[in-house]
Amino acid sequence: MSQDVIKLWPDGAVPNAVANPNFPEKSEVGQQDGILRISHVSVPTLTVFQAPKDKATGAAVMICPGGGYGILAFGHEGEEVARWFNQQGITAFILKYRLPDERLMTNQSEVPLMDAMQGMKLIRQQAAKYGLDVTKIGVMGFSAGGHLAATLSTHYHRSAGSLKASEEAKPNFAILMYPVVTFGAKAHGGSRNNLLGKQNTSAELIAYYSNELQVTKQTPPTFLVHAQDDKAVPVENSIDYYLALLKNDVSGEMHLYPTGGHGFALRTKGKGSIENWPDACKGWLKAQGLMK
């Protein structure tokens, strides 16, 4: 089944873009794991996986694949998950967002959020075309994509570069999978360095993108999954975000597992009780009124 691919920005009007023919977009499939990885994104898009009409609930989710803000793990944290959502009657939009790189853009730290805000706005604006309920459109992110999803959840009401704040950019719910949340003591250094740069990063900017510090009572209901033995992104990233939700009376559900490592997505076979996270997620989606 072919998917619609929606460009986030009109041709020639991609904000902050720097044309650089030396860095064309690259797509590679891993020989060992079969995972599609994309880098050097210059034309950000949404790829639509529409739920079958006989199953569709009217809900939708924008998926942000991870990859440390260096690549996009588009296969197992994008396409495989989108198909899983379709089985639940939920339409999925995979966000191919630009990865911060001074060779391809100006003010690199604000660019992924600009793309996420624009993606959410476009989904809302095209809701009728895809049979969506505008009160049931959420965001999901994995690892650094989880950081982007959490940033969208906590910064939608702020301007990002030339893109003005908009309620249309606010997700109705969020699902954060082994997310990068903080840029403080428990940060994933690669994600922080790629987004903010390695040099002379101010304490104010680190705090601004430490999303556990940015949760408010308006942050959307959130479902979190993390493994205790995650060696890439410490489990405290999810715990601290959950505690911030709790402090602000925002509905949250968190599932922590003793084993599973990092980057598992739906590939959990043989990794212990973490195999159960999709069923837990289905239960949460039903409780939120997003599944029949």
Side-chain angles (χ1 to χ4, degrees):
M1 182 178 172
S2 63
Q3 281 84 33
D4 290 349
V5 178
I6 305 166
K7 287 184 179 180
L8 294 193
W9 311 96
D11 287 336
V14 182
N16 293 42
V18 173
N20 191 335
N22 295 320
F23 293 96
E25 184 172 308
K26 192 161 62 172
S27 297
E28 297 176 307
V29 177
Q31 292 186 343
Q32 301 297 320
D33 55 21
I35 293 172
L36 170 63
R37 294 175 175 86
I38 300 175
S39 57
H40 297 161
V41 176
S42 56
V43 180
T45 61
L46 289 166
T47 302
V48 188
F49 285 71
Q50 191 163 7
K53 287 188 177 172
D54 61 333
K55 287 186 176 182
T57 68
V61 63
M62 182 175 76
I63 301 170
C64 306
Y69 283 124
I71 60 103
L72 298 177
F74 204 84
H76 79 308
E77 291 178 351
E79 294 167 338
E80 291 177 16
V81 178
R83 292 188 182 98
W84 181 84
F85 273 110
N86 286 174
Q87 292 168 9
Q88 320 315 321
I90 296 173
T91 293
F93 296 78
I94 308 174
L95 180 66
K96 187 181 76 174
Y97 56 93
R98 286 174 290 163
L99 299 156
D101 189 329
E102 61 186 8
R103 299 169 299 187
L104 291 170
M105 64 198 65
T106 58
N107 298 327
Q108 66 189 46
S109 65
E110 65 193 23
V111 167
L113 178 58
M114 293 173 80
D115 287 351
M117 289 174 67
Q118 179 72 357
M120 186 60 67
K121 288 171 65 176
L122 287 179
I123 294 169
R124 289 195 188 290
Q125 291 164 7
Q126 300 202 26
K129 176 179 178 180
Y130 295 106
L132 307 180
D133 181 338
V134 292
T135 68
K136 296 181 178 180
I137 299 173
V139 67
M140 181 184 205
F142 297 78
S143 192
H147 183 266
L148 181 55
T151 307
L152 180 65
S153 297
T154 54
H155 293 67
Y156 66 88
H157 58 298
R158 300 167 176 167
S159 296
S162 60
L163 191 66
K164 300 304 180 189
S166 169
E167 282 293 317
E168 280 190 313
K170 180 182 179 179
N172 298 116
F173 64 91
I175 300 171
L176 306 181
M177 301 292 302
Y178 39 89
V180 176
V181 167
T182 190
F183 278 174
K186 294 289 182 177
H188 177 251
S191 296
R192 180 179 61 196
N193 291 344
N194 283 335
L195 187 66
L196 304 184
K198 296 178 183 178
Q199 307 296 325
N200 304 319
T201 300
S202 70
E204 289 78 13
L205 201 58
I206 287 172
Y208 188 77
Y209 286 109
S210 291
N211 292 315
E212 79 281 9
L213 303 177
Q214 305 300 332
V215 172
T216 69
K217 293 185 184 302
Q218 283 68 50
T219 300
T222 303
F223 180 88
L224 297 118
V225 174
H226 220 120
Q228 187 177 330
D229 66 347
D230 191 327
K231 298 292 189 279
V233 178
V235 70
E236 287 89 345
N237 280 258
S238 283
I239 293 170
D240 289 347
Y241 196 82
Y242 176 79
L243 290 173
L245 296 172
L246 195 62
K247 181 180 176 182
N248 285 277
D249 297 318
V250 176
S251 175
E253 182 169 320
M254 179 170 61
H255 292 264
L256 305 181
Y257 298 90
T259 58
H262 188 76
F264 46 83
L266 291 167
R267 299 184 175 195
T268 56
K269 192 170 182 182
K271 293 188 176 181
S273 58
I274 206 163
E275 287 190 41
N276 298 319
W277 85 257
D279 287 334
C281 189
K282 280 197 275 187
W284 183 79
L285 290 166
K286 286 176 183 174
Q288 298 294 318
L290 302 167
M291 278 178 58
K292 293 175 182 174

